[in-house]
């Protein structure tokens, strides 16, 4: 289930190397787009690492902006 406890995060490359997963250190959780909802402003949560598209992220160079492939579907 989701976690709301603050934790340290780390970045892990994926097999495509264009996308990353954001891991919650010391837990089985990753940063997840709530309910796979692609709408702007959807909260992100820490959730079990299911390796679904709403848990993969792409960093945009020069910005603090993350996008999920779930938003493109």
């Amino acid at each position: 289930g989701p976690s709301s406890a603050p934790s340290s995060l780390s970045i892990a490359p994926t097999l495509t190397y264009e996308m990353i997963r954001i891991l919650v250190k010391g837990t089985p959780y990753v940063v997840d787009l709530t309910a796979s909802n692609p709408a702007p402003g959807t909260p992100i949560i820490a959730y079990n690492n299911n390796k679904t598209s709403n848990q993969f992220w792409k960093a945009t160079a020069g910005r603090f902006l993350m996008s999920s492939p779930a938003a493109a579907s």
Side-chain angles (χ1 to χ4, degrees):
S3 170
S4 61
S7 298
S8 297
L9 302 174
S10 65
I11 303 297
T14 65
L15 293 177
T16 68
Y17 295 100
E18 294 177 5
M19 306 302 285
I20 59 171
R21 284 182 294 138
I22 305 171
L23 309 174
V24 181
K25 287 185 178 180
T27 75
Y29 300 121
V30 297
V31 173
D32 182 297
L33 189 61
T34 302
S36 300
N37 183 352
T42 297
I44 57 172
I45 59 172
Y47 201 79
N48 290 323
N49 185 3
N50 300 321
K51 299 181 181 170
T52 54
S53 65
N54 56 309
Q55 297 178 335
F56 290 82
W57 303 89
K58 183 174 185 176
T60 302
R63 298 173 139 188
F64 294 105
L65 173 68
M66 300 298 288
S67 60
S68 168
S73 40

